Each structure stands twice: as structure tokens, then as C-alpha cells.
Amino acid sequence: MKELAAKINGQNSDSQSSVAQQSLSDGEDHLERLQQVELSRALPISVWKAATIHAWLDVVMAMPMYSRTCTDNVKSGKVLLGLTDEDLELGLGINNPLHRRKLRLAIEDYRQAEQNGQGLCKASEMDTHWVCKVWLGEVGLPQYGQAFQSQLVDGRTLGSLTRRDLENLLTVSDQQHQNSLLLAIQLLHILNFDREALQMRRSQCEEKSVDPLVWTTQRVIKWIRDIDLKEFADSLLNSGVHGALMVMDPSFNADSLAKTLGIPTHRHMLLRHLHEELNTPLSPLTEASSRRSVKSRAPPHTPPPTHTLPPTHTLPPTHTLLPTHTLPPTHTPPPTHTPQQRHTPQVP
């Protein structure tokens, strides 16, 4: 029995030693990976080595499923810079078109950063977790989080999405939801994907009914409650109604908002109240009516080219917000004692 116990104790000791050695090895590997990640941030992409590429794909791009194949075949940053869409699909086995686009947009961003010395674009700061867990919630469409997560959509990829991408690759079949997402993306373009600037503007209108363009769905719900329609406010959850949609969609009006809120058509006084709040000069949404024509004049979304992609950070803003239009002065007949004509300006 003593011999058996000693043998068991010896096996346990060996097992514990093996586990400790494995943990130590894992810790060293993790430390090495983090060091390589720092190198990917500090060094130009053209001087990256295979280990840096591996860590970049694994940690920064959150695409570990491709890191082994890539580092087995791509041994330098110069080779990485030269990869085409065909190379990614046939050579590295990346069959998902949005995954390939994500990589190509990132590689092009690093190329431009190396050439102009100005750093990566602001969209690079928006990772997949932020897009799926934060941004989709802010625009009132968290139900698409799983689809965006499986496609690994980050800030750069988000800026390239088209209506066809939303429908065919991200399972967004509802046209209103497509409009909501595209206009939310337009807002990011307007702000050059500057997340800090967006949050600053939102914080400034959290307690004041101003700057409706940047309102989240939660802020719109708060406004609905503030105008004494709180019994309908929760209908906006998962609806995709946010400030950019209300301001820039030319088809959005009091009737469409009432329909989303679920206000019965026979409750005429409630409908009139909503209409007045949406259009009165005291309403924060008055500016929306003068800006809704912006979307119709903007160029449509176009997918990025297959092989050579423009960097996200050099894209010009898709929309330029116009100032509130002033109604032309009312024409009055000239007085008999003077030949000149006098106009009386009216407040819009």
C-alpha cells in the first residue's frame, strides 16, 4: 500500500509539474504575442515579420482563425501589402467576402499611414465589439448584433457597407432598417468616424433638445417621453429610429413616426400633438425639415473595388449639412410716395 501511495504521489507530482510548465509556456507565449502587437503599432507594415503578422491578425484584427495559415504563407509585411482578393481567397482560404474586405481595408489603411505618416484612420479605433455591442444599440437595432459579429464587422468595414451588403451578407431584409443603418453610417462619415467627437455632441444634447442629428434611439425615446407620449415610447425599442434617420431621411415625417410609435389613427388629437412637436419652431427637430434634402443629393453607397481599396480616412464626408432655410420675404406693394419696394421679413 505504501508503495502504491508513493507511486500515486509521484504521478500527481509529475502531473502538477507538467501543468505548471504548460502554464509557464502559455504565459510566455501570451507575453510574446503582446510584444508583437506593440510592434505592429509602432513599426511600418512594410517591415513586419511573420510573428508580428500572426499577432496582428490574432489580437488586433480579431481573426485568429486565419492567423496560422497566413503566417505559414506570408512571411513579411511587404508580401502582406501585395495580397489581392484572389490571394486571400485561394491562397489563404478566406472564403467570406466581408472577412476579405475587412483585411484589405485594414492593409490599405496601414499602407496609407506609412506613406503619409499621419497614422491610421479614426475608423480603426472602432473594433467589432464596439460595432456590435455599442453602435448597433445606439441606432436601435441590437437584434443584428449576431450577424455583424459573425461577419467581424469593424469600423472600416462598416464604412464600406452598401444596401446590397446589408441584405445579402448581414440578413437585414427590412428596408426601413436598411435605411436606418445606412444613415447611421452616413453620420459616421460626416464626423470622419471620430468617436470622441460623436460622444461629445451627444453628451451636450442629453439634457437639452438640441442637435437632433446625433441622437441615439435612447435619446429619441427620452424626447418622446418629454412631450408627454411616454405610453408609446417603448415602441421605439429595436425600431432603428435615431436622430440621423429623422433628420436625413426625406420620407420621415410625423405620420411615419406615429406609425412606429403605434398611435392609433383615430386618435386625431394625439397625432396633431406629435405633428406640432415635430414641426414647431420650438421643437429640436425643426432643423430636420431643411436638411432632409441632403440624402437625395448625396452619392449612393458603392462597394469598394476588388483589389485596390481607398483608405477609409481619406473619404470625404458623404453629406454636408445645410443651414436652416429662411422663407423669402413677403412681397408688399410699393407705397405711392416712393418707387422702391420694401420687404417685411418673416420668422420661419
Side-chain angles (χ1 to χ4, degrees), residues 16-263:
Q16 291 173 357
S17 176
S18 176
V19 170
Q21 291 177 354
Q22 182 63 43
S23 299
L24 181 62
S25 177
D26 291 344
E28 291 174 347
D29 289 344
H30 181 68
L31 180 61
E32 171 66 19
R33 188 179 298 111
L34 292 180
Q35 291 173 342
Q36 293 298 331
V37 168
E38 290 304 314
L39 285 177
S40 73
R41 292 170 177 161
L43 297 175
I45 188 173
S46 61
V47 301
W48 288 3
K49 298 185 181 300
T52 307
I53 295 171
H54 185 285
W56 175 71
L57 278 171
D58 195 7
V59 179
V60 179
M61 298 299 291
M63 304 176 82
M65 68 288 289
Y66 302 121
S67 57
R68 177 62 62 185
T69 304
C70 188
T71 50
D72 285 346
N73 294 278
V74 181
K75 299 299 183 180
S76 71
K78 291 181 179 179
V79 175
L80 186 64
L81 284 169
L83 293 179
T84 65
D85 195 73
E86 185 177 6
D87 293 331
L88 294 174
E89 183 175 13
L90 301 180
L92 300 179
I94 305 178
N95 297 318
N96 187 303
L98 277 185
H99 290 187
R100 293 198 303 272
R101 188 189 302 179
K102 176 178 178 175
L103 269 177
R104 290 185 294 118
L105 286 167
I107 292 170
E108 185 61 30
D109 191 12
Y110 278 86
R111 185 203 309 277
Q112 292 294 324
E114 182 173 346
Q115 290 177 352
N116 59 35
Q118 295 180 357
L120 299 174
C121 67
K122 286 290 187 179
S124 66
E125 301 173 10
M126 300 174 176
D127 59 15
T128 298
H129 177 82
W130 182 84
V131 170
C132 298
K133 300 298 183 181
V134 178
W135 182 78
L136 282 173
E138 290 175 342
V139 301
L141 293 171
Q143 61 267 39
Y144 296 107
Q146 185 58 48
F148 276 67
Q149 179 67 51
S150 66
Q151 295 291 348
L152 302 179
V153 177
D154 62 358
R156 298 186 191 95
T157 313
L158 191 65
S160 75
L161 293 178
T162 66
R163 188 178 296 275
R164 179 176 295 180
D165 294 331
L166 293 175
E167 185 167 1
N168 296 340
L169 301 178
L170 292 164
T171 66
V172 184
S173 56
D174 186 286
Q175 188 173 6
Q176 183 66 21
H177 290 178
Q178 292 174 10
N179 292 340
S180 172
L181 290 168
L182 291 174
L183 288 171
I185 293 170
Q186 294 286 0
L187 175 60
L188 294 178
H189 277 294
I190 291 170
L191 298 175
N192 267 340
F193 286 80
D194 191 331
R195 192 167 61 180
E196 291 183 2
L198 176 61
Q199 292 306 319
M200 181 176 294
R201 286 180 62 173
R202 283 175 171 168
S203 65
Q204 292 171 348
C205 65
E206 189 60 34
E207 300 300 328
K208 298 179 180 179
S209 294
V210 296
D211 201 7
L213 178 68
V214 300
W215 285 7
T216 63
T217 295
Q218 292 73 25
R219 182 63 184 87
V220 177
I221 290 175
K222 181 180 183 301
W223 175 74
I224 290 295
R225 288 174 176 155
D226 289 344
I227 62 172
D228 297 320
L229 292 174
K230 60 182 180 181
E231 65 268 34
F232 303 103
D234 287 345
S235 299
L236 293 183
L237 295 172
N238 301 337
S239 67
V241 175
H242 51 82
L245 177 76
M246 300 171 75
V247 172
M248 294 193 289
D249 186 350
S251 65
F252 187 90
N253 54 33
D255 292 336
S256 56
L257 179 57
K259 183 177 180 181
T260 304
L261 289 170
I263 300 177

